[in-house]
């Protein structure tokens, strides 16, 4: 259609659409500026798509009128109606055509089915016979299948019964073989009663006597073979029990007899090997024979491990080796008698003894040890070979308990060191985490009831420590754990803890150490230490003496009842407090398990010392001219002493009296004493923390650094409270020194009258007599130029700051005096001027020659005094040039005393 339009446009007399453009121009002029011309795109004609069956709007499930009309928006309604009518007509034609085409086939359907009924009847006749034959064939096949399945089931049952019979034959052969290997006499009566009467174990004829090495080696290998056979037998029995075989119940008594015979022979040979290795009386054993014995011992331990008889082996070692030694070593009078030395199996070199003794003598350093942990180093110390070094012995000089412990350590290292190493290797090789099997369950559990608590050998825990700990608590408990004598208790505790550490170093692994610490006897052993009672006794040793010393509240070193201190402290009370703190952490008192109590006690002592200082000194807000009654008995001054010289005026300054001077001296001595002791206490306690306390405190958590920081913060908090109190004392001492120095400025007010009354009118060449005495109280307090002063030990820390504050106060007071003098001279000048007097001061234009000289002499004398004051201040370390008040003072003395316009 578009081609038609284009052809029509080409044939049109106006191909460029000039008429349309003219019409648009006219319409624009009529509509004004609001007219918007059509774009070139609007001139394009839409593509005409006729209605058909493919139109999406006509094939939709729901006909949408609006969308359909929008899709035909370029078609007028009349054209759209015509188009729809044409489409309807075409649809009707197609429908009629479709009906005509299908009607012919529909009509011929009935004629095509004629005669089909008879044919269907003919086809139905052979179907019944075919169905019958198929049913008969299916029944025959099912019968054949059932017969085959029954045959297969019978064969399977026969196969299982045959396998069971083979299993029972293996069990019977194994039982017979084991009885033959163990030389068990055969019995024919299977009943329990008859078997009890014929029950006998195979023991050698030389039972109870040592067996030669060759026989032991053969017996150990023989028992190893028997054990392997027995283990296989138990596995077969466990499988037979699943089938509920009566044969197993019938031969159970024979299996029990094999078990008893095997364990009896194993116990006997193991006991004989232990006796040969540990009994010194049997004679010297050659190194080759000892190596063979250890091989046999290893074989026996493997047998015990394979049979899960760990506790049985431990019981034999405890009975044959450990109990005999404990019985003759640990008894009630063991600490009062001399012990027989533990002889080594082979002679040790002299250098080894020397190295052992040197190690033992170095076990007690100045600072006490921290709580022992078996994991002190990054590398596990137990992973090294057990025999790489000698046993860690204790310092047994003048200590019977240490000698006893060394005797035990030597015995354990000699007789159990190698055995524990072998058992550890056996356990690691066999595996500590074994799955539960028929060997250790059911009716054939070979171990006793205690074996369920742990798998593997625990010789250090169940043999060594169980006997040692029980014997110490039972035989020596009244001596070792007695807290009546704190010094002996501390000595016994430290020695015993060192012994436990040495004992743990003999353990073959960290696992053994953990099991030892978790053993009930170890827990009961640690609870026997009455640490609370020990702390109370130490507390009673410190507190009564300290409270007696703190009952005296005299801080004046010149008082008749003053008790001098020691070392860095001025007072005996401060020295006693620090001695009490240091004693808590000394090697003779401190116990790591009481670290929390001693730490709390240290903070309480510091708090008590601060309270004593506060009660021994006058309060910070009180009058410094009124000392406490327990310090001096002198009568207090009736006039108040001004604390802040800056706010005072010349008219309010009290005259210096003997009583106020004595009270000031007492207070200064008290403040200096307290300041020296506080600074000494702070430095000494911090040094004690760094050198001893921080290293003695036990590890409380994995975040050790955070815990230590918290403890240090708590300590510094107590010390900061002391420092805050010392700051208050320093302020009071500075106030007293400032007031006394300001009192020395009183002669400044009389300088004008003094020079006017002088007959000698020459210029002064040296400062006034009072100038060198202005800062004399500060020099006397810090002992500068004198034999010593109360604050001589504070000179390095406080001289500069105190002198600066005092000079500042003196300058303020000096400025007040000069201001008052200037006002007085001005008033006098006005008075004289009112009387028309020609007398004036300091350079007045109308003044006489003598009066001008007086003014000049007064100003010169003040300049000399201020220069002398500056020299004294600089000698005390004060930066006079940068002090604003001194700069103002220097400018005032160099200016005219009276303004020239008056």
């Amino acid at each position: 259609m578009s081609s038609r339009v284009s052809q029509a446009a080409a044939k049109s007399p106006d191909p460029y659409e000039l008429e349309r453009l003219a019409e648009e121009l006219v319409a624009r002029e009529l509509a004004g500026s609001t007219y918007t011309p059509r774009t070139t795109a609007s001139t394009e004609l839409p593509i005409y798509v006729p209605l058909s069956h493919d139109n999406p709007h006509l094939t939709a499930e729901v006909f949408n009128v609006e969308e359909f009309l929008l899709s035909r928006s370029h078609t007028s309604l009349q054209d759209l109606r015509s188009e729809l009518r044409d489409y309807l007509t075409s649809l009707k034609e197609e429908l009629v055509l479709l009906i005509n085409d299908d009607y012919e086939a529909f009509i011929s359907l009935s004629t095509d089915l004629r005669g089909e009924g008879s044919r269907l009847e003919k086809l139905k006749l052979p179907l019944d016979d075919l169905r019958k034959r198929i049913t008969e064939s299916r029944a025959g096949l099912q019968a054949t299948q059932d017969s085959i399945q029954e045959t297969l089931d019978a064969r399977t049952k026969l196969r299982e019964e045959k396998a069971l019979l083979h299993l029972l034959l293996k069990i019977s052969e194994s039982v017979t073989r084991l009885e033959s290997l163990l030389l068990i006499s055969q019995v024919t009566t299977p009943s329990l009663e008859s078997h009890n009467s014929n029950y006998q174990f195979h023991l050698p004829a030389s039972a109870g006597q040592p067996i030669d090495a060759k026989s032991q080696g053969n017996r150990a290998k023989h028992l190893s073979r028997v054990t392997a056979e027995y283990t296989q037998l138990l596995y077969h029995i466990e499988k037979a029990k699943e089938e509920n075989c009566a044969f197993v119940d019938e031969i159970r008594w024979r299996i029990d007899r094999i078990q008893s015979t095997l364990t009896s022979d194993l116990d006997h040979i193991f006991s004989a090997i232990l006796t040969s290795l540990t009994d010194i009386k049997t004679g010297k054993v050659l190194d080759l024979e000892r190596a063979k014995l250890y091989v046999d011992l290893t074989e026996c331990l493997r047998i015990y491990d394979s049979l899960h008889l760990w506790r049985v082996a431990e019981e034999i070692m405890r009975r044959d080796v450990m109990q005999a030694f404990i019985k003759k070593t640990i008894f009630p009078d063991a600490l009062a008698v001399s012990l027989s030395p533990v002889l080594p199996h082979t002679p040790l070199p002299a250098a080894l003894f020397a190295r052992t003794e040197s190690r033992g003598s170095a076990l007690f350093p100045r600072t006490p040890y921290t709580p022992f942990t078996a994991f002190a180093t990054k590398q596990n110390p137990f992973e090294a070979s057990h025999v790489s070094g000698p046993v860690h012995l204790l310092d047994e000089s003048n200590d019977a308990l240490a000698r006893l412990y060394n005797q035990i350590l030597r015995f354990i290292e000699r007789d159990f060191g190698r055995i524990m190493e072998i058992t550890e290797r056996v356990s690691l090789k066999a595996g500590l985490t074994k799955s539960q099997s028929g060997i250790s369950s059911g009716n054939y559990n070979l171990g006793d009831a205690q074996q369920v608590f742990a798998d593997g050998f625990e010789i250090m825990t169940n043999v060594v420590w169980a006997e040692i700990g029980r014997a110490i608590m039972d035989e020596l408990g009244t001596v070792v754990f007695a807290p009546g004598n704190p010094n002996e208790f501390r000595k016994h505790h430290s020695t015993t803890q060192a012994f436990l550490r040495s004992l743990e170093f003999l353990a073959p692994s960290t696992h053994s150490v953990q099991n030892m610490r978790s053993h009930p006897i170890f827990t009961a052993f640690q609870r026997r230490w009455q640490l609370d009672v020990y702390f109370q006794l130490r507390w009673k040793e410190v507190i009564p003496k300290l409270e007696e010393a703190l009952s005296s509240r005299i801080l004046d070193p010149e008082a008749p009842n003053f008790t001098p201190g020691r070392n860095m402290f001025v007072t005996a009370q401060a020295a006693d407090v620090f001695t009490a703190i240091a004693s808590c952490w000394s090697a003779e008192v401190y116990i790591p398990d009481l670290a929390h109590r001693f730490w709390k006690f240290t903070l309480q002592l510091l708090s008590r010392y601060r309270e004593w200082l506060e009660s021994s000194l006058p309060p910070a807000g009180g009058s410094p001219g009124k000392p406490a009654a327990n310090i001096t008995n002198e009568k207090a001054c009736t006039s108040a002493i001004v604390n802040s010289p800056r706010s005072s005026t010349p008219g309010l300054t009290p005259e210096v009296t003997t009583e106020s001077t004595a009270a000031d001296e007492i207070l200064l001595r008290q403040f200096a004493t307290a300041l020296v002791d506080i600074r000494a206490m702070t430095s000494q306690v911090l040094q004690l923390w760094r050198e001893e306390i921080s290293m003695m405190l036990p590890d409380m958590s994995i975040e050790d650094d955070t815990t230590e920081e918290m403890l240090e913060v708590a300590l510094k908090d107590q010390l900061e409270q002391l420092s805050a109190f010392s700051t208050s004392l320093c302020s009071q001492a500075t106030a007293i020194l400032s007031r006394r120095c300001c009192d020395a400025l009183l002669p400044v007010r009389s300088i004008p009258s003094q020079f006017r009354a002088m007959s000698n009118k020459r210029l002064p060449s040296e400062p006034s007599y009072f100038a060198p005495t202005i800062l004399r109280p500060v020099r006397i307090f810090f002992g500068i130029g004198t034999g010593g002063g109360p604050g001589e030990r504070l000179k390095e820390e406080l001289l500069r700051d105190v002198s600066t504050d005092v000079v500042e106060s003196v300058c303020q007071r000096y400025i007040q005096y000069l201001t008052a003098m200037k006002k007085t001279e001005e008033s006098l000048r006005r008075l004289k001027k009112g009387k028309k007097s020609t007398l004036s001061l300091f350079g007045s234009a109308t003044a006489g020659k003598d009066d001008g000289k007086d003014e000049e002499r007064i100003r010169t004398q003040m300049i000399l005094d201020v220069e002398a004051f500056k020299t004294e201040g600089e000698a005390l370390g004060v930066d006079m040039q940068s002090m604003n008040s001194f700069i103002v003072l220097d400018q005032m003395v160099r200016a005219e005393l009276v303004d020239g316009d008056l």
Side-chain angles (χ1 to χ4, degrees), residues 49-204:
V49 179
L51 293 177
S52 64
H53 302 317
D54 298 332
N55 193 304
H57 299 284
L58 298 178
T59 58
E61 296 181 359
V62 179
F63 181 74
N64 193 328
V65 179
E66 295 179 356
E67 292 182 358
F68 178 76
L69 293 178
L70 289 175
S71 64
R72 319 293 291 186
S73 58
H74 298 286
T75 303
S76 63
L77 294 178
Q78 292 78 6
D79 295 339
L80 182 60
R81 183 176 59 183
S82 300
E83 188 176 1
L84 289 174
R85 286 177 177 175
D86 294 339
Y87 182 65
L88 177 61
T89 302
S90 64
L91 286 177
K92 288 181 179 180
E93 292 177 354
E94 292 180 2
L95 181 60
V96 171
L97 181 61
L98 181 62
I99 292 173
N100 293 333
D101 293 342
D102 294 339
Y103 181 77
E104 182 180 357
F106 179 75
I107 295 300
S108 63
L109 180 62
S110 59
T111 58
D112 293 340
L113 293 178
R114 291 177 182 177
E116 292 296 329
S118 60
R119 273 191 293 176
L120 290 177
E121 289 294 335
K122 291 178 182 180
L123 291 175
K124 183 178 179 182
L125 294 177
L127 289 180
D128 294 336
D129 184 52
L130 182 60
R131 183 183 295 108
K132 182 178 180 181
R133 292 180 182 181
I134 291 174
T135 304
E136 292 176 355
S137 299
R138 182 180 297 173
L141 291 174
Q142 185 64 38
T144 304
Q145 182 180 356
D146 294 341
S147 176
I148 294 173
Q149 186 63 39
E150 290 177 0
T151 304
L152 293 176
D153 293 341
R155 289 185 178 183
T156 303
K157 186 175 181 181
L158 290 175
R159 189 182 301 110
E160 292 176 355
E161 291 179 354
K162 182 178 178 180
L164 181 58
L165 288 176
H166 281 291
L167 180 63
L168 296 179
L169 287 175
K170 289 182 181 179
I171 293 175
S172 178
E173 292 174 359
S174 296
V175 171
T176 304
R177 191 181 303 112
L178 287 173
E179 290 177 344
S180 176
L181 291 174
L182 295 176
L183 301 180
I184 299 177
S185 60
Q186 298 293 333
V187 293
T188 58
T189 307
S191 62
L192 185 60
E193 292 79 2
S194 61
H195 123 261
N196 285 336
S197 61
N198 296 283
Y199 198 66
Q200 52 180 323
F201 305 133
H202 168 68
L203 289 176

Side-chain angles (χ1 to χ4, degrees), residues 468-528:
I468 294 174
R470 187 183 296 108
I472 293 175
M473 288 189 293
D474 295 343
E475 303 296 338
L476 300 177
T478 56
V479 178
V480 176
F481 302 103
N485 188 340
N487 295 327
E488 289 295 326
F489 180 85
R490 168 65 179 80
K491 184 178 180 181
H492 290 165
H493 185 273
S494 62
T495 304
T496 304
Q497 296 302 320
F499 165 71
L500 292 178
R501 292 198 301 274
S502 298
L503 195 64
E504 290 175 349
F505 273 113
L506 291 176
S509 65
T510 56
H511 179 71
S512 298
V513 175
Q514 294 173 354
N515 289 339
M516 174 181 165
R517 292 181 180 180
S518 60
H519 197 272
I521 293 181
F522 189 89
T523 305
F525 187 88
Q526 294 293 356
R527 289 178 179 175
R528 285 291 298 273

Side-chain angles (χ1 to χ4, degrees), residues 142-300:
Q142 185 64 38
T144 304
Q145 182 180 356
D146 294 341
S147 176
I148 294 173
Q149 186 63 39
E150 290 177 0
T151 304
L152 293 176
D153 293 341
R155 289 185 178 183
T156 303
K157 186 175 181 181
L158 290 175
R159 189 182 301 110
E160 292 176 355
E161 291 179 354
K162 182 178 178 180
L164 181 58
L165 288 176
H166 281 291
L167 180 63
L168 296 179
L169 287 175
K170 289 182 181 179
I171 293 175
S172 178
E173 292 174 359
S174 296
V175 171
T176 304
R177 191 181 303 112
L178 287 173
E179 290 177 344
S180 176
L181 291 174
L182 295 176
L183 301 180
I184 299 177
S185 60
Q186 298 293 333
V187 293
T188 58
T189 307
S191 62
L192 185 60
E193 292 79 2
S194 61
H195 123 261
N196 285 336
S197 61
N198 296 283
Y199 198 66
Q200 52 180 323
F201 305 133
H202 168 68
L203 289 176
S206 59
Q209 299 179 2
I211 310 174
D212 56 1
K214 184 176 181 180
S215 177
Q216 287 176 350
N218 294 333
R219 289 296 298 166
K221 294 179 180 178
H222 178 75
L223 290 178
S224 178
R225 177 186 173 188
V226 172
T227 303
E229 185 71 25
Y230 181 71
T231 304
Q232 187 178 7
L233 172 63
L234 294 181
Y235 171 74
H236 292 158
I237 289 176
E238 189 65 25
K239 293 187 66 176
K241 287 176 60 179
E242 296 177 358
E243 302 295 335
N244 298 322
C245 294
F247 178 74
V248 175
D249 298 332
E250 290 294 331
I251 65 170
R252 180 177 299 175
W253 64 274
R254 297 176 64 187
I255 299 173
D256 293 340
R257 183 173 61 174
I258 293 173
Q259 171 190 337
S260 301
T261 306
L262 175 60
T263 56
S264 176
D265 287 359
L266 179 60
D267 295 347
H268 175 75
I269 192 65
F270 183 64
S271 177
I273 294 174
L274 285 177
T275 303
S276 300
L277 287 173
T278 59
D279 192 2
I280 299 296
K281 297 179 181 180
T282 57
K284 183 177 180 180
V285 181
L286 298 178
D287 293 341
L288 182 58
E289 296 177 357
R290 182 174 297 277
K292 292 180 179 179
L293 288 175
Y294 277 120
V295 171
D296 297 338
L297 180 69
T298 304
E299 197 66 39
C300 292

